[in-house]
Amino acid sequence: MNWIRKNIFGLGLLAPSIIILFVVSIFPMIYTFYISFFNYYLPRPNRAYFIGFENYIEILKDGMFWLAMKNTAIFMISSIGLQFIFGLGLAILFYDEFRGRSAKAFYLPLILLPMMVAPVVVGYVFRLLYLTEWGPLNYLLGFVGLGPYSWTASASTSLLSLVIADVWQWTPFVTLVLLTGILSISSELFEAADLDGANLWQKVRYIILPLITRVIAVVVLIRMLDSLRELDKVYILTQGGPGTSTTLVTFWSYLNGFKYFKVGYAAAMSIILLIVTVILATGMAKVLHKEEK
Amino acid sequence: MKKLLITFLLTVFCFAGIANAKPEPRPTFDGVTVTAALHSGPFVNAWGPHVKRIKELYGINLELVGIPVNELYDKSILELSMGTGAYDIVQYNPGWVGDYIDFMRPLDDYMDRWDPGWMDIHEGFREWENTYGGQRVSLTMDGDVMIFYYNKNMFEDPKEMADFKSTYGYDLAPPANYDQVLDIQKHFQRDTDGDGTIDQAGYSDPIIKRGRGQYPYLMRLFAYQKEAGITPNYFDPDTMEPLINTPEGVKALQNYVDTVANGVPGMLQWEWSEAHTCFMTGKCASLIHWPDEGLMTAAFTANTGSAMGFADVPSKANMTCGGWVAGVTADSANPEAAYMVLDYILGPDVSTHVALYPGGGTDLFRQSHFDSAVVKMIAPQEYLDAFDSAIGDIVGELRIPGGFEYYDSLDIQVQKALAGEISAQEALDQAAENWKKITKSLGADKQKEMYAKAMGY
C-alpha cells in the first residue's frame, strides 16, 4: 500500500499504456484461450457449449492443419533462405557505397521502396504480373524462349509465386539490417584482410558472418514470425489454391474463424500457433544468448 | 334449407370480400433511415438511382452499404450475430439461409398487407429461394441460373461438324450430357496462332478458381445422378450420409478434371470474368454461365462475327450457382420501412429497370420481366426461352446451417483433384469425411431436420 502511495505518479503515467495493452492485447488473448474450449459457432452464439480439449484434439487430427503447417514451413524456409542470400549479397555490394553519404541518399530510398508497399498491394501487383496470357512476366520470359507458365494456376508453381512476391518485398529489409551489421564491423579488419590477400569469399566466411551472427539471428527471427502470419498475399494471389498448394496455416485459421465461423476451433488453432511461435522465438533467443557468452 | 342458404350467402360474401379486397395503402416514414448491405459494385449501382424516388414516395433515407462479394457473408453474419442493428436489409445467397434464418424477420405479415408481386416472381425461384420452414423470409433480387451458350459459327461450320462426327461418331451440337462437353472441349482445343501454346478451348465452366469451384462439380453430380435415375441430392435425406463420393460423384469430378485439363493454360484460376471473356472473344467455343451474356449478343457478334446460340445445360441439371435474395433483419429498428424499400425496388414495376440497368448484375427473375416489351426488344426470344426453361430445372442450394463450410470444404478437395494432387475418388472421400464432421459438429439430428426443410421433404 505504502509502495503504491509512494509510486502513485509513476503508476499514473503507466496506467494508460497498461489499460490499452490489457484491452487490445491481454484480454483478447485470455478470451481466445477461454473460447478455445468451446464449440462456438458464431451464427448460433447462444448455443455455444464447453467441450474441453476437443478442439485441440481435432486440430491435431486434422490433415488440413498439418498440410498447412507443411506449406508454411516450405514457404518460410525458402522465402527466408532466398531473402538472406540476396540480402547478404546486396549488403556486401552496397557496403562501399554506404560509406559515402551521397550514394547512401541515392540507394536508400530505392532499397526501402518495396517495404513501404502494403502487402495487399504487393499481392495485386503480382497478380497482374503473373497473368498467364497477358502477364508481363510471361511476356518477358517469352523473349528467352521460356513459358508461358501458369504461375498461380498450377500447383507446381503457385507456392513459388508466393515466395517470389515475398522475397521481392522483404529482401530490402534483410539487406538493410545486414548492412547495418556489416557497417558496425571495424574497417581495420577488412584492411588487414586485404593486406593478407583475402578474397571476397574469405572475408565473408571469416569476418562478416562470424561477426554479424547476432544480427542474422534477429533478422531471421523477425522474418520467421512475419512468415508465420503471412495472409495478405495468399488471400489476394491464390486463395490458398490451386488445390491446397498455398494454404498456409494462417489462411486455414482465417477460413475457420471468419468464413466457417468455427470460432472455438479457430481460437484453439491460434493458441497452437502461439505456442509454435514461442518455441521458435525461444530457440532463436538461445542462439543469441550462446553468442553473447 | 335456411341454414344452407345462409351458409351459401356467407360464403359468397366472404369470397366477394376477398375478391374486392384492396391492398392497404403504402405508409410513409418521414425521416426514417434504412440501411441496406449490398454486394458492392453492380447491385449498389443498380439500386442507387432509386434512392431519391424512395425518399419522395416514402420519406425514407435509403443508405446503401457496398460490401465486396467475397466478404458479404462474413461481414453481415458478424454484424447480425453481434446484434448491432447495423443493417435493416441484407442481401444474401439463398444457400446461406441456414445461417441467416435466426437473424431475419419473417415477411408473411407485410407481404399479406402489401403484396410485392409475390406470384409474379418466377415460380422456379419463388418458393425455394424465399421460404424457409413454411415462412416467407426474403424476396428474389437476381434471377441467377445457368445457360449453355455456344458460338454458332464454330458449331455450325461444315468442316468442324464433319471432323467432329468422324472422331466422336455423333453430330456436333449443344451437349446432352457432360461426356459430350468433354468431347467438345477436346475437339476445339487448339493452338490457333502456332506459337506452341494452346489458346482456344471448346468449353469453359462458369467459375473454376478456388472459392466457388465446387459449383461446376455439383452441376455435374446432379446431372449424373439424374442420368442414373436418382433424384439430385447432396445427402441421403434419411441418414444425412453425403452423396458426393458415390460412383456418380466420382464420374462427375473426373469429368470436371478432364474438361479443365483439356482447356487452355491457366484455366484453373479462372473466375467468372475470364470465362466470360474467353467466350465473348471467340476463344472458347461454348460456355455455361449466368444469364448476363444473353443481353450482350450485339457485342458478341461484333467481336466474333458469329451469332450466339443458347441451350439447356447438359442433362438439364441446373443450379443458381449463387443467386441473390434480400430480407429484413430481425434487429432492424424500422422493419416496415425496410420492407417498403424491398417492395418498391424488387416489385414488378421497378425491378424491370433494375434488371436492365447496364452492369447492374441483376438477371430477370419475374414472369413480368419475360413478358416485358422492353426486354423482348433487347433480348433474343431464343435466349428468353432458354432462360425460362432453365429456371424450371434448378436444384436448390444447400440451405442448411454451415452451408458455406460444406461448400468450401468440398471446394478444397475439388481443387486438389483439379490440380492433380489427388484422384477424384480420394478427393471426394475426404470431402465426404469432412461433411460428416461438419454435420456432427452442428448436430446431426438438427441438420437432418433443416435439410428436409430446405429441400422440401
Side-chain angles (χ1 to χ4, degrees):
Chain A
M1 204 62 193
N2 214 11
W3 181 86
I4 292 174
R5 217 173 292 142
K6 229 167 114 182
N7 296 293
I8 191 80
F9 182 68
L11 287 172
L13 289 175
L14 281 175
S17 311
I18 291 170
I19 291 167
I20 291 171
L21 198 68
F22 183 79
V23 171
V24 303
S25 183
I26 297 170
F27 173 72
M29 203 161 78
I30 295 168
Y31 190 65
T32 302
F33 187 64
Y34 170 73
I35 59 169
S36 71
F37 296 107
F38 283 79
N39 182 332
Y40 189 151
Y41 182 55
L42 198 63
R44 305 276 178 281
N46 302 328
R47 293 182 213 158
Y49 58 92
F50 182 77
I51 52 167
F53 283 94
E54 207 173 300
N55 281 329
Y56 290 90
I57 294 165
E58 279 299 311
I59 290 168
L60 297 177
K61 285 198 301 191
D62 181 1
M64 260 313 294
F65 173 75
W66 290 110
L67 186 74
M69 286 297 265
K70 189 182 111 191
N71 286 344
T72 307
I74 295 172
F75 171 77
M76 192 195 292
I77 292 166
S78 45
S79 176
I80 297 175
L82 288 172
Q83 283 165 25
F84 177 72
I85 292 167
F86 292 136
L88 186 65
L90 286 170
I92 292 167
L93 194 72
F94 286 134
Y95 173 70
D96 282 332
E97 302 296 339
F98 266 64
R99 297 171 84 188
R101 197 174 273 275
S102 57
K104 190 172 166 182
F106 175 73
Y107 287 116
L108 196 61
L110 274 184
I111 291 179
L112 288 177
L113 214 57
M115 280 163 59
M116 287 192 267
V117 182
V120 173
V121 178
V122 174
Y124 278 112
V125 169
F126 272 85
R127 197 160 84 169
L128 290 174
L129 288 174
Y130 286 144
L131 284 175
T132 310
E133 263 192 84
W134 305 290
L137 194 55
N138 275 344
Y139 176 75
L140 292 173
L141 287 173
F143 286 117
V144 286
L146 293 173
Y149 298 107
S150 305
W151 288 98
T152 55
S154 158
S156 55
T157 51
S158 54
L159 196 57
L160 175 67
S161 310
L162 282 184
V163 169
I164 292 172
D166 198 61
V167 168
W168 178 82
Q169 183 171 29
W170 292 111
T171 296
F173 171 72
V174 177
T175 305
L176 216 60
V177 177
L178 294 183
L179 187 59
T180 313
I182 299 173
L183 285 169
S184 69
I185 299 172
S186 166
S187 57
E188 287 165 9
L189 286 174
F190 291 113
E191 284 160 17
D194 284 337
L195 286 175
D196 290 342
N199 60 25
L200 181 64
W201 168 243
Q202 285 166 328
K203 282 188 220 169
V204 172
R205 171 77 182 81
Y206 297 107
I207 301 176
I208 296 176
L209 288 180
L211 291 178
I212 63 165
T213 313
R214 287 178 65 197
V215 177
I216 293 170
V218 169
V219 81
V220 168
L221 177 64
I222 293 171
R223 290 302 305 130
M224 270 163 81
L225 300 183
D226 279 346
S227 301
L228 263 180
R229 55 190 178 86
E230 177 63 53
L231 178 70
D232 319 55
K233 291 190 215 61
V234 180
Y235 186 85
I236 304 294
L237 274 173
T238 62
Q239 288 280 318
T244 46
S245 55
T246 56
T247 301
L248 305 187
V249 72
T250 36
F251 189 71
W252 184 233
S253 170
Y254 157 79
L255 280 181
N256 277 283
F258 293 96
K259 289 288 178 189
Y260 309 157
F261 290 123
K262 290 157 69 177
V263 182
Y265 193 80
M269 211 181 291
S270 304
I271 297 295
I272 291 175
L273 267 182
L274 181 70
I275 294 168
V276 171
T277 309
V278 168
I279 291 170
L280 284 176
T282 312
M284 291 310 280
K286 273 191 178 162
V287 172
L288 284 171
H289 191 62
K290 214 169 148 187
E291 276 304 307
E292 264 175 38
K293 278 183 176 173
Chain B
M1 189 63 192
K2 198 177 168 187
K3 258 187 184 174
L4 204 68
L5 188 68
I6 291 168
T7 312
F8 173 74
L9 285 173
L10 272 174
T11 311
V12 169
F13 178 77
C14 287
F15 275 105
I18 289 171
N20 289 327
K22 282 188 180 153
E24 260 184 62
R26 262 68 172 170
T28 54
F29 305 86
D30 286 336
V32 163
T33 298
V34 167
T35 307
L38 302 177
H39 176 332
S40 58
F43 287 90
V44 172
N45 294 345
W47 282 37
H50 301 281
V51 170
K52 198 176 158 202
R53 185 74 181 129
I54 285 171
K55 175 79 179 164
E56 286 165 5
L57 280 175
Y58 303 109
I60 297 169
N61 301 310
L62 175 60
E63 285 184 3
L64 305 176
V65 178
I67 302 175
V69 63
N70 53 353
E71 291 167 20
L72 198 53
Y73 172 78
D74 19 316
K75 282 205 170 163
S76 47
I77 282 284
L78 273 176
E79 296 285 356
L80 294 171
S81 60
M82 294 297 126
T84 61
Y87 307 131
D88 301 288
I89 293 172
V90 288
Q91 169 179 359
Y92 60 96
N93 176 328
W96 304 341
V97 72
D99 290 333
Y100 277 66
I101 191 66
D102 286 358
F103 309 115
M104 304 311 292
R105 186 176 287 266
L107 300 176
D108 286 317
D109 180 37
Y110 298 143
M111 288 194 194
D112 289 342
R113 289 157 69 192
W114 304 292
D115 179 22
W118 176 255
M119 292 308 289
D120 180 47
I121 298 173
H122 198 294
E123 62 179 347
F125 299 121
R126 190 170 54 229
E127 297 291 335
W128 84 261
E129 276 199 344
N130 299 306
T131 62
Y132 203 80
Q135 285 186 310
R136 290 179 284 182
V137 292
S138 63
L139 277 173
T140 299
M141 59 187 299
D142 183 17
D144 276 341
V145 69
M146 292 291 147
I147 293 172
F148 183 85
Y149 299 97
Y150 62 100
N151 183 315
K152 280 196 170 178
N153 274 9
M154 292 168 90
F155 269 62
E156 291 168 6
D157 181 279
K159 187 178 176 311
E160 297 287 2
M161 290 171 81
D163 287 351
F164 187 90
K165 183 142 192 183
S166 76
T167 311
Y168 300 103
Y170 62 95
D171 288 330
L172 175 60
N177 55 51
Y178 280 98
D179 296 337
Q180 292 184 4
V181 168
L182 183 55
D183 292 342
I184 289 168
Q185 179 73 300
K186 287 177 180 168
H187 175 74
F188 283 108
Q189 187 201 39
R190 58 192 74 153
D191 170 14
T192 56
D193 56 10
D195 69 351
T197 308
I198 300 292
D199 54 18
Q200 179 183 284
Y203 165 80
S204 174
D205 278 296
I207 188 160
I208 303 158
K209 189 181 177 180
R210 170 94 178 86
R212 289 192 287 173
Q214 78 281 0
Y215 279 124
Y217 161 71
L218 287 170
M219 285 182 66
R220 284 171 170 84
L221 169 70
F222 298 146
Y224 283 111
Q225 283 180 337
K226 275 177 103 172
E227 283 171 33
I230 302 164
T231 307
N233 246 316
Y234 301 87
F235 294 95
D236 178 332
D238 297 323
T239 59
M240 280 304 276
E241 193 67 25
L243 296 178
I244 49 177
N245 58 339
T246 54
E248 292 74 36
V250 176
K251 244 197 279 188
L253 184 52
Q254 193 56 54
N255 177 279
Y256 187 12
V257 169
D258 294 341
T259 305
V260 172
N262 284 283
V264 290
M267 213 174 210
L268 207 49
Q269 284 296 77
W270 278 15
E271 258 281 350
W272 70 269
S273 51
E274 283 91 352
H276 165 86
T277 307
C278 185
F279 177 68
M280 291 296 285
T281 54
K283 295 281 184 189
C284 286
S286 64
L287 166 78
I288 287 182
H289 224 234
W290 290 273
D292 310 68
E293 281 78 4
L295 296 174
M296 303 176 191
T297 48
F300 179 77
T301 305
N303 287 342
T304 63
S306 167
M308 192 188 285
F310 313 94
D312 281 320
V313 296
S315 308
K316 289 173 79 75
N318 218 314
M319 286 189 81
T320 54
C321 296
W324 296 110
V325 296
V328 177
T329 59
D331 58 10
S332 164
N334 302 294
E336 249 179 48
Y339 174 76
M340 280 308 140
V341 171
L342 292 183
D343 170 67
Y344 176 79
I345 293 189
L346 304 178
D349 300 330
V350 176
S351 64
T352 313
H353 300 278
V354 174
L356 294 177
Y357 188 86
T362 302
D363 300 306
L364 312 177
F365 61 87
R366 285 182 172 275
Q367 199 51 57
S368 55
H369 294 165
F370 288 89
D371 300 335
S372 156
V374 182
V375 171
K376 281 176 190 273
M377 213 161 67
I378 298 169
Q381 191 57 45
E382 192 190 351
Y383 158 75
L384 292 175
D385 292 342
F387 191 168
D388 194 25
S389 154
I391 299 172
D393 302 325
I394 292 173
V395 179
E397 299 273 338
L398 186 54
R399 304 166 75 223
I400 57 176
F404 189 89
E405 190 185 355
Y406 283 110
Y407 274 174
D408 204 62
S409 65
L410 172 62
D411 183 32
I412 288 175
Q413 300 306 324
V414 165
Q415 295 288 330
K416 282 169 94 166
L418 288 174
E421 290 176 29
I422 50 177
S423 72
Q425 182 75 59
E426 286 168 332
L428 293 169
D429 285 345
Q430 186 57 56
E433 267 316 300
N434 294 341
W435 276 26
K436 285 182 198 169
K437 270 190 204 168
I438 300 167
T439 304
K440 191 181 155 208
S441 76
L442 294 170
D445 291 338
K446 187 80 189 156
Q447 289 298 90
K448 190 174 148 187
E449 185 193 324
M450 298 292 249
Y451 185 66
K453 267 188 194 174
M455 302 302 278
Y457 294 119

